[in-house]
Structures are given as C-alpha cells and as structure tokens.
C-alpha cells in the first residue's frame, strides 16, 4: 500500500463486487434459487451500507454509485482516475 497508493482494499469493495457477481449470476437461474442468490447478494451489501452510515454518508446514494462503478470498470479502481 505504501509503495502503490492506487490500490486500497476495503470500504466494502469486495462485498460490492461479490454482490454484483451474484446478482448477475442469479439472473441466469430460474426458480426459487434465483431469489435465494439475489437475497444473499443483497445481504453482502449490508457491510458497505453500515460503513456509510457510520461515516455519516447517505448510504443509498453511495451504494448506487458503487454499483455503477463496479458495473462500469469492474472490481479495480485507481485513485486519481476521476473520482
């Protein structure tokens, strides 16, 4: 981290990426399994939501931005690339 500050793990990034993957996967499965996987994906977002709440941010707004960023550029994001 000290040598390359463009990668910072944490802040719910892993949970958001897993949630995105599971939501995408759940759309390919019929029946009740789709609902179960979707519910698990939603549950993973509790961690970044709680981090936002603890920091005093609008969790809904931040999570929407995180979902959009993960859908746009995937699991990695470099600091200084616009946001």
């Amino acid at each position: 981290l000290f040598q390359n500050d463009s990668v910072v793990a944490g802040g719910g990034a892993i949970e958001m990426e897993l949630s995105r993957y599971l939501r995408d996967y759940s759309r390919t499965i019929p029946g009740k399994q789709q609902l179960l996987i979707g519910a698990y994906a939603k549950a993973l977002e509790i961690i970044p939501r709680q981090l936002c709440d603890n920091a005093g941010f609008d969790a809904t707004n931040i999570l929407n931005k995180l979902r959009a960023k993960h859908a746009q550029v995937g699991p990695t994001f470099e600091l200084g690339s616009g946001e």
Side-chain angles (χ1 to χ4, degrees), residues 48-64:
R49 178 175 297 279
Q50 190 62 50
L51 290 170
C52 290
D53 287 340
N54 291 348
F57 296 123
D58 177 14
T60 302
N61 187 30
I62 298 293
L63 267 95
N64 284 336

Side-chain angles (χ1 to χ4, degrees), residues 18-39 41-42 45 67 71:
L18 286 171
S19 176
R20 182 194 66 80
Y21 177 82
L22 288 174
R23 283 182 195 274
D24 290 347
Y25 177 66
S26 74
R27 292 183 185 114
T28 66
I29 300 172
K32 291 182 181 180
Q33 288 181 339
Q34 180 182 32
L35 298 174
L36 293 172
I37 293 171
K42 184 177 179 181
E45 293 183 359
R67 281 187 206 103

Side-chain angles (χ1 to χ4, degrees), residues 60-83:
T60 302
N61 187 30
I62 298 293
L63 267 95
N64 284 336
K65 287 181 181 179
L66 281 171
R67 281 187 206 103
K69 187 59 75 175
H70 278 263
Q72 183 183 27
V73 297
T76 60
F77 176 70
E78 291 187 21
L79 295 175
S81 63
E83 296 196 28

